[in-house]
Each structure stands twice: as structure tokens, then as C-alpha cells.
Amino acid sequence: MLFIDGRAVGVIEAKREEWGHRITDVENQSGAYAAATLKWVNSREPLPFVYESTGVVTRFTNRADPVPRSREVFSFLRPETMREWTAQPDPLRKRLHRLPSLDPTGLRACQIGAIENLEASFRRDRPRALIQMATGSGKTYTAITAVYRLLKHADAKRILFLVDTRNLGEQAHQEFMAYVPSDDNRKFVELYNVQRLTSSFVAGDSQVCISTIQRMYSILKGEEMDAAAEEINPAELVRPRKPPPVVYNATLPPEFFDFIIIDECHRSIYDLWRQVLEYFDAYLIGLTATPDNRTFGFFRKNVVSEYSHEQAVADGVNVGNEVYVVETEKTQRGGKIKAGRSVEKRERLTRRKRWQIQDEDQAYGAKELDRSVVNPDQIRTVIRTFRGKLPEIFPGRNEVPKTLIFAKTDSHADDIIQTVREEFGAGNEFCRKITYKVDGDPKSLLTQFRNDYHPRIAVTVDMIATGTDVKPLECLLFMRDVRSRNYFEQMKGRGTRTLDHDDLRKVTPSAATAKTHYVIVDAVGVTKSVKTDSGPLISKPGVPLKDLAMGVMMGARDEETISSLAGRLARLNRQLDDAERRRIEGRAGGVELTAIVGNLLAAIDPDRIDAKAREIDPPAGEDDPAPAAVDQARDLLAAEAAGVFTGELIDLIDSIHRVCGIDQTLAPYSETVRRNFQTWIMARHSGSGEKFNDQQMEWLRMIRDHVATSFHLDSDDLEMALFDAQGGLGRIYQLFGSRMDTVIGELNEALAG
């Protein structure tokens, strides 16, 4: 029996350790003890706190909860906590049922849905919940709004906001300090105490604690912490094979926090760090733009918000991207250092140089390039190509758009910086390195990159890869490969932020419009080596907008056409004023342009198609819908989305579109590809080279059209539906034989110009 101040408050049913796998079997026994009338216990009501424990596994039930349910806990409640809980009229889980309706003022629709669904999850007493929202859609603001409501309306005692780098903690603290709730004119920090942990001291009166998960682990372990560990993403740290377990800490008992919000949870909920989360008896709320299967599993598939990058682009919350590929032979295949040559050897850290004769041939692969082997000429080729293509990628600009280059190492970053300055004929301020290890204040450099004219180009290894806002950023140049889909999506997220025309001109004076998109320049094949969820919406940049809209109106149902139309309309919407938007809405029967874009994307959303197919022809149990039902569902959704288009609306959109001049940035590459294709064919047919027959020409034209939208053709691409329908890899080999690879290689090189 458990007693507080001489009053019975609960029971513990103790079992041997081997009962751990079936400890729930004794819940009836412990529950009967708690409800029993015992002559030596002066209690008229059943006792609220019930435990079953083997000493290794302990489960706890608060019978005062609306729906009493046992849960595994790290340890028993402190007597002080039991006294506090029994003195409260209602437990936390009952108070969560009294949260008032959400005031939507100042919130986006995706934020409203996330908060309402999260609170519904609390009412169902789901211990873990996942909020998936695209980068730039306001995850932190959403979380702070939820925190405010929990503190004010549910009387939550203390909430932990967990991050995995100090930089993210500082950003979160800034957002808490700036937050003003819709029902009060005071700032959040005037209403509640917010502490960002910079030592092992945790103030008892803090209602919100912001901490890195590394620091929280060190506090629980009672160990001193190296502050440098907070600079590094935990996913990149080398962890011990068998991490030491977290033990009970009287300073921070398991019930210390009621809720834990985990920012960037896709990379900080595993292995060593999972112990921190499972130590506390708290609701866990994950925030991420890029969940994977492990993330879904950890949060027990309780996804309370799903807001994708494509939806964010459709709503005007984010901008989409284009991809431009720069390939060199060395990045694809590596190279060879021949024996007898004088080779410069350079120490990685000191960069001290010495020269020696190469004793024997040494081959190096693409992965070793810029790590164990540095080829300055390859770096120069990439930078020179990038510089030469900028007028084509960003026509009409007088300055280099704000560009972020991802390097492999700090040494690689230094090589890139020197080459950029030389190739652009610029000084030190033009291109700077921004990493955690840079001399001086990296935050000051980041602020300059964000707000000032210089630097135009920043080179980073780690610091700006995730979680850092640089809204004027319009170009991402990848000179390092990334195998993790999640990490690549996070890196891409640096470019998705929207920015109006006036603010963009403050740092890029020659920008003619608001930020409409960003460009990925791929110099290492990163867009081919990872499978991404958010590819470019506009897969047909060379097709006029009017033709896309007319095609959809006339019955085109392929994903590329619908996606390209949605992307073009979303980009157009970023350049319209309110009067132009109202004109389009009037011709569209009162449907806003953002809604038109959203409906188009919904028509090609696999989940929407699946749900519609299940309505049309419900399958048995969990079986997949019949293929015929899927086809019918796809046609119905596309028809609904296309129903708004009329010839009159298409003409209006096209006229506005041409005035905005969007196709000036889209058409040149397609035109370049066609011109280069014609030149290459004429050279082959007029010279001594072999002439192509009609069937071969048909395939070459298909490759040309693919390169015009995807910038390159790999052999894997021949498995795509476009080629597979014509026989795929087998058919093209029949037509070209052993020359197939040579022809494709020549064509890739010729079309790129």
C-alpha cells in the first residue's frame, strides 16, 4: 500500500522478474486491491494509483483518468507528485477533454488541422503523435500555439521542447519570444517562463524548457557536457555499440514534463537518444517534414498531420524547384593517377603540402573524389559551367542569385571557395564558408548571407543543411552526394521558402518578381542516387501553359501534364496582384487559383486515388482496390479538377502568364535541347557516321524529349512508362546493339550543349 500523509493513495502488486512478459495479467488483482474495503484503510473511494512491477518492468494506472489505462513507466511517482495530483480536482487527461475550440485567427489551414487533430489525439489518450508538415509551412509556430493552449487551458505543468542542434534551439527560443497569442496582446514569454538550457541547471518554475537532446542525456546521466556536441546532428555522431543506460535522476524525475515536443524527430528518436524520450512519463509529439518508416513506427502510426511539399507549393506556402545537371567524367567514374608523375600530397587538417613521385598507377573512384583525392580541375569545371549557365538558368539577372553550395568536407569547401572567387573574378566577400568550424561568428555570417548583398555564394558542410531559414536563397549547388532521402529533402528545404518582391530586391536588386522557384544544380548525380518524395512539379517546362491547360480540359489525364499545369499555375500565383487573382476567380466560377492548383494535385495523389477507388468498388478487407476501380477513380478526380477550365479562362490565364514572362525561364532549355538535337543528327547524317533509320529516330526523339525535362538519361530511366511501353531496354538494345551505351552517352553530351 502507498500512503501520503497517513492517507492511502495506491497499491503496488510486486511480481518476480520472469513475470515481465505478462505483467498485464495481474491488473485485475491489483485493481481489486485498490477497490477493496479494508478495515485498516480509511478510504471510501477506490485508490487512484495502481502499479504492477517486477522491478525491471513497471506499469502504472491512474484510475482517476477518464478511461483508466495502464502504461509502462520508468519508475514510481515521487510522494510529492502523488500529493500534488491527489489535491487536484481533475487529472491532466481529464483536463485535456476541456480544451476549447481553436481560434483560427492568424493560422494557416494546415496549422489548424494539425492542432485540432493533435488535441483529438490527446482526448483519445494516444501517447505519441506525429506532425508531418513541409519545410516552411510553420511547424514551430504550430507547436508553440499547441503549447500555449496546453498551458492555458489544460493547466499543463511543464513542457520540454527538444531539438538536436544548438542552432535549432536558438531559433526555437526566438520564435517563443516573438509569439503573441490571438487571445492576448502580451507575448508568450510575458505569460510563461521559457528557459533554454545552457547548463545542467533546470529552473523549477520554468513552464517551457528548450534543450538539445544531447544536453538532456548528459543531465540525466549526471555528466558534464562538451558544448561542441550540441553543434552536431546526433544522427552523424559515432555512438557506442552498447550505449550506457539512463538511470533515475532525482533532479529530473520521469514525471517532470507533461509533454515533450521533438523537433526534426526523424533523426533524434533512435538508439542512444531514444532513452531520453522513454525515461519521461510524457506525451511525445514529433515534428518533421520528412518522416520515414522508422519514424512512423516510433510514433505508432498516429499521424495527426500530413502536409506535403506539393500541397505547400499549391497553397503558395512554398515554392517549387527546377533541376539542372552538371556532369563531369570524374564525378561519374573517378580517374587514375599515373605512375611517374609528381603528385602534391596535402595533410587534411594543416593543409601542409609536399611533392612526391607517384610510384605506381593509382585508380580512384567517384566516392574518393574530394575526400582522399582532390582534383582541382574537376572542381573548376563544375564552377565554370555553373557560371556560364547562370544567364540561362536565371535570365535577366545582373548579379548571381543567392547560392548555397554543399561541400563534402571543410577542406573541400576551402577548395571550392578559392575556385569560385577566381572563376567569378570576385573578392573575399563574394563567397564565404559558413560552417560550425569557421573562424569568427558563424551566426553573423549567416545573418549577412540572409540579409545583405554579400556574400552571393555560401559554401557549407553541415550548418545550413537543415533547419536554417535563408529566404532569399534561389540556388542550391550540390557538390556532395547524399544517400539519405530524408537528409536530401531537408537540404532541399533550404530553398523552398517564399519571399515577396520587395524583400527579394533588398538582397538581389535585379530580381523582376517575387521568388517563384529555386534551382537545384546537381554536379554529383544526387538527384539520381536518392529516391525523393518531392520531385519538380513542372516536368514539361517546354510546353506552353495554354497547351497544358487545354490538354487537361480536353481530357489529358497523365500525371506529368497535370503536375506541370499545377506547378505553372502555382508559380503564376506568386506573381499576381489581388486584382488579377480576382479576375481569374471570377472566370473560374468563384474558385480561387490556389484551390484550382490544390484540386489538380489531389487528382494525382495516390492516397486520394486509392480512397476514391475504394468508394467505387470496395475491396474485401485490406485488399488493394481493383485496377479498373483505380483507373476510374483517377479519371473522376482528374475530371473534377479539370471541370473549372473553359476556353475563356484558359485565354485569360495565358494572357496574364505571357505578361509575367514566366516561360522566359522555362522554355530556353527545351529549345536548346531541340536545337542541339537537330545539330547532332545533321552532323551524324552528313558525315561518315552511320545514319539512323526511322525506328531508331523515333527512340532518339523520345530520349530528346526526356532530356528536355529531366536534363539527362540514365539506363535506369529506360524502365519508365514512356520507354517501357515501347519495349524498354530490350527494344533499344535490339535497335542499337552494342552501340547503345555509346549513342546514349553522345546524345546526353550533345543535348546538354
Side-chain angles (χ1 to χ4, degrees), residues 328-337 362-375 378 408 483 524:
T328 69
E329 181 180 356
K330 296 293 186 293
T331 57
Q332 287 186 298
R333 301 181 178 87
K336 179 182 289 187
I337 304 171
Q362 178 185 345
Y364 60 90
K367 290 183 179 180
E368 296 171 276
L369 190 63
D370 300 313
R371 295 188 184 275
S372 60
V373 176
V374 176
N375 188 325
Q378 183 269 339
K408 297 176 182 178
R483 294 292 174 181
V524 290

Side-chain angles (χ1 to χ4, degrees), residues 298-312:
F298 179 86
F299 288 97
R300 300 171 185 173
K301 296 188 177 180
N302 184 29
V303 184
V304 297
S305 166
E306 289 185 279
Y307 189 65
S308 67
H309 169 72
E310 288 76 14
Q311 290 172 300

Side-chain angles (χ1 to χ4, degrees), residues 24-167:
T24 56
D25 291 353
V26 299
E27 287 175 349
N28 288 338
Q29 185 179 354
S30 54
Y33 290 147
T37 302
L38 303 176
K39 61 181 180 180
W40 42 273
V41 175
N42 184 18
S43 177
R44 297 180 180 178
E45 299 292 332
L47 304 181
F49 306 133
V50 180
Y51 289 94
E52 301 86 32
S53 180
T54 67
V56 176
V57 177
T58 301
R59 296 190 69 85
F60 167 68
T61 304
N62 186 348
R63 293 170 64 93
D65 286 342
V67 180
R69 182 192 304 152
S70 71
R71 60 183 183 270
E72 187 170 340
V73 293
F74 191 86
S75 68
F76 301 101
L77 292 172
R78 295 178 303 165
E80 297 88 343
T81 304
M82 292 186 182
R83 180 183 297 112
E84 179 184 341
W85 285 13
T86 55
Q88 293 173 341
D90 293 313
L92 174 64
R93 282 161 174 76
K94 187 172 288 186
R95 300 197 299 271
L96 289 172
H97 283 257
R98 296 201 297 263
L99 288 170
S101 298
L102 176 65
D103 178 2
T105 303
L107 295 171
R108 297 169 177 157
C110 61
Q111 296 170 325
I112 295 170
I115 295 169
E116 290 180 340
N117 291 340
L118 177 63
E119 293 178 354
S121 175
F122 291 151
R123 289 191 291 272
R124 295 193 301 272
D125 195 20
R126 298 292 298 273
R128 302 179 184 183
L130 178 63
I131 294 177
Q132 184 264 315
M133 293 174 65
T135 299
S137 58
K139 293 189 296 295
T140 305
Y141 190 90
T142 301
I144 296 174
T145 303
V147 167
Y148 172 74
R149 287 172 55 79
L150 291 171
L151 291 171
K152 179 173 182 177
H153 301 298
D155 196 25
K157 184 176 182 179
R158 196 176 290 107
I159 297 173
L160 174 62
F161 194 97
L162 266 184
V163 296
D164 61 10
T165 63
R166 185 172 64 186
N167 180 43

